[in-house]
Amino acid sequence: MKLEFIDTKAENAFDLLCGKVNGCVLCSRMKDSQRVLNHSSGSLDAEIMFIGEAPGRLGADNSGIPFHGDKAGHNFEELLEFANLDRSRIFVTNAVLCNPRDESGNNSTPTKVEVHNCSQHLAEQIKILNPKIVVTLGSIALESTRHVAPHLLTLKDDVRTANEWFNRILIPLYHPGQRAMMHRSFANQRSDYQFISEEFKRLTKKSVSSKLQTSSINHSVFLIVKEIFAHLNSIDYFKLHKLFYLIEYKYFKKFNSRLTNAYIVRQKDGPYCTDLHFQKIKKALPELVIRNKAGNLILNYSASIFAPPSEIDNKAKEIIIEVLKDYGQLTSQAIKTKVYLTEPMRKFLKLENEGKLNLYNVPIEFNQTVHTAIRSLK
Ligand code: SF4
């Protein structure tokens, strides 16, 4: 079996664009910033593209994953989950691809000139993906689309409406950050995301579940985490991500289906699951105690004695117990080595060592072994 990079127009064009964006110095205050445009932005086959304002200092600028890691990211991921929109099946970007900061180092709003500068990159992303639906999150994102093709929409008057624009549908929504909640409550925003699902269904005549959700998913991420804690009361945050990956990997190998719809990307230290951000775990499991021990986060959890019995089926339990028995007591370094011995990670390393691809932040898709960017050829 030989591995090759898919030589498709979209893949090549996207990689060229990422290279161009990495070298972009159009905005003087962001010329040395990290650019947040990479394969963790989502699928190039996505039919829905979300556009936010800019990477946040504590969110995408830190994680490298758009809308992930800060409060706005958590809200966004929760809204997606509510509407059954699988993150690996959509594409997420921003009006400006670098994090704008004020003189004190805090997030600031991108200027009109910066939005205009970056709109050329946005236009290219839309051209490459050709999504059926573009969803703008906030007024800056809506403004950025005007540079791509004119329209007269305003957030106040046109929120949650489907509008013909540039050969596709444009839906203006509010930003999921806390400030915007004053204008649009979280309950209203939930309905907005439901509207996107309905619109997608109307346009494609396909149900969201058939197109946007991973099939055969039967467990929530946090049910699995709870089950892990039932066997290990205390766990290193780094190790939790690796154990979770190994559970997903072993489950997929044995049953040929995903255990959860967790979005797992290959980061510098191995697989990272966006659903396992420590603040999200804390929200799902309020009894969790998080300690910082010499720079490592240690998570302690003991379920309440009144907690209902586990809802996990026996197939999942069997895999969790097997993984914890084999790897649960290993050190972080030893478990990292084990993770790198799994098939998807070995293939990532092989391609990287051959110098063919930069696979940092590429989503790990178990059903295709590595990622759509890589094809197995006999
Ligand atoms: S925000 Fe966009 S246009 Fe400005 S420097 Fe970054 S990539 Fe270039």
Side-chain angles (χ1 to χ4, degrees):
M1 188 179 280
K2 183 172 141 233
L3 286 167
E4 272 190 15
F5 177 55
I6 287 184
D7 192 18
T8 63
K9 255 169 91 179
E11 291 284 349
N12 283 343
F14 184 70
D15 285 343
L16 277 175
L17 176 61
C18 291
K20 190 167 143 192
V21 166
N22 278 329
C24 175
V25 289
L26 280 174
C27 310
S28 52
R29 73 165 160 163
M30 297 186 278
K31 63 181 175 17
D32 298 320
S33 309
Q34 180 189 197
R35 279 86 177 110
V36 183
L37 182 70
N38 54 59
H39 283 284
S40 76
S41 304
S43 164
L44 298 186
D45 294 331
E47 292 180 293
I48 305 179
M49 174 190 270
F50 286 85
I51 307 171
E53 180 176 306
R57 182 174 65 89
L58 300 174
D61 192 46
N62 189 36
S63 66
I65 303 169
F67 269 109
H68 177 70
D70 55 5
K71 186 65 186 153
H74 297 331
N75 289 345
F76 177 66
E77 287 167 344
E78 204 174 318
L79 289 163
L80 290 180
E81 196 180 341
F82 174 77
N84 282 333
L85 298 167
D86 184 335
R87 189 158 186 161
S88 65
R89 305 281 190 280
I90 60 168
F91 189 88
V92 188
T93 188
N94 280 297
V96 297
L97 296 168
C98 306
N99 171 224
R101 296 191 189 183
D102 62 19
E103 284 170 358
S104 314
N106 297 316
N107 286 332
S108 78
T109 307
T111 64
K112 283 187 184 304
V113 172
E114 288 163 348
V115 172
H116 182 261
N117 287 345
C118 219
S119 63
Q120 57 173 283
H121 303 317
L122 179 64
E124 284 196 53
Q125 291 168 72
I126 293 174
K127 190 172 153 206
I128 293 167
L129 271 93
N130 195 21
K132 284 192 169 57
I133 298 177
V134 169
V135 183
T136 53
L137 303 175
S139 54
I140 300 285
L142 187 59
E143 181 194 328
S144 71
T145 55
R146 264 184 229 119
H147 296 295
V148 176
H151 62 72
L152 297 171
L153 303 171
T154 65
L155 187 53
K156 189 166 156 282
D157 294 334
D158 301 296
V159 62
R160 201 205 291 174
T161 56
N163 306 277
E164 296 280 347
W165 170 77
F166 195 38
N167 298 325
R168 65 203 81 239
I169 293 296
L170 178 59
I171 303 177
L173 295 188
Y174 277 80
H175 193 273
Q178 288 307 96
R179 260 184 301 141
M181 296 289 167
M182 289 191 300
H183 306 286
R184 193 86 171 163
S185 70
F186 198 65
N188 259 332
Q189 294 211 24
R190 282 179 152 200
S191 311
D192 295 343
Y193 282 67
Q194 201 64 53
F195 176 81
I196 299 168
S197 291
E198 293 301 321
E199 195 57 27
F200 178 79
K201 197 154 81 180
R202 188 184 69 75
L203 278 178
T204 61
K205 309 269 186 286
K206 288 171 189 157
S207 71
V208 167
S209 58
S210 70
K211 188 68 184 167
L212 291 175
Q213 273 185 295
T214 310
S215 58
S216 311
I217 301 301
N218 42 31
H219 290 95
S220 91
V221 169
F222 299 110
L223 270 184
I224 304 303
V225 172
K226 259 174 117 169
E227 189 63 24
I228 294 174
F229 278 120
H231 299 272
L232 300 173
N233 292 140
S234 177
I235 187 164
D236 181 315
Y237 182 61
F238 176 92
K239 214 164 116 177
L240 178 64
H241 283 263
K242 309 304 174 258
L243 285 173
F244 190 89
Y245 163 81
L246 288 166
I247 289 168
E248 279 280 10
Y249 171 66
K250 299 255 174 188
Y251 189 91
F252 187 82
K253 265 186 89 168
K254 186 150 186 183
F255 302 112
N256 199 31
S257 75
R258 285 289 306 270
L259 177 60
T260 72
N261 65 353
Y263 189 53
I264 306 178
V265 295
R266 181 263 196 274
Q267 292 215 320
K268 189 158 73 49
D269 284 324
Y272 170 80
C273 173
T274 59
D275 303 80
L276 291 184
H277 189 281
F278 66 92
Q279 284 168 351
K280 291 173 85 172
I281 309 176
K282 175 76 184 156
K283 191 171 174 195
L285 308 177
E287 299 93 344
L288 187 79
V289 176
I290 304 174
R291 286 182 298 121
N292 189 330
K293 192 176 163 195
N296 288 330
L297 293 183
I298 309 293
L299 314 184
N300 288 287
Y301 177 80
S302 300
S304 152
I305 51 168
F306 302 112
S310 165
E311 297 158 44
I312 293 199
D313 68 27
N314 287 338
K315 286 187 339 188
K317 263 191 189 152
E318 181 195 316
I319 297 291
I320 293 169
I321 290 168
E322 189 187 311
V323 168
L324 295 183
K325 186 166 149 276
D326 292 347
Y327 309 107
Q329 301 307 322
L330 297 183
T331 62
S332 293
Q333 193 50 46
I335 199 166
K336 185 175 162 186
T337 306
K338 295 290 182 194
V339 160
Y340 273 96
L341 290 173
T342 60
E343 197 186 358
M345 296 309 292
R346 275 193 286 119
K347 286 181 177 168
F348 274 127
L349 287 184
K350 183 169 182 280
L351 284 159
E352 285 170 341
N353 291 339
E354 286 170 355
K356 284 185 180 171
L357 293 168
N358 173 7
L359 296 173
Y360 184 64
N361 267 337
V362 167
I364 300 171
E365 293 188 7
F366 296 86
N367 52 348
Q368 293 173 29
T369 311
V370 181
H371 175 252
T372 48
I374 300 160
R375 173 180 281 163
S376 298
L377 296 173
K378 295 235 164 103

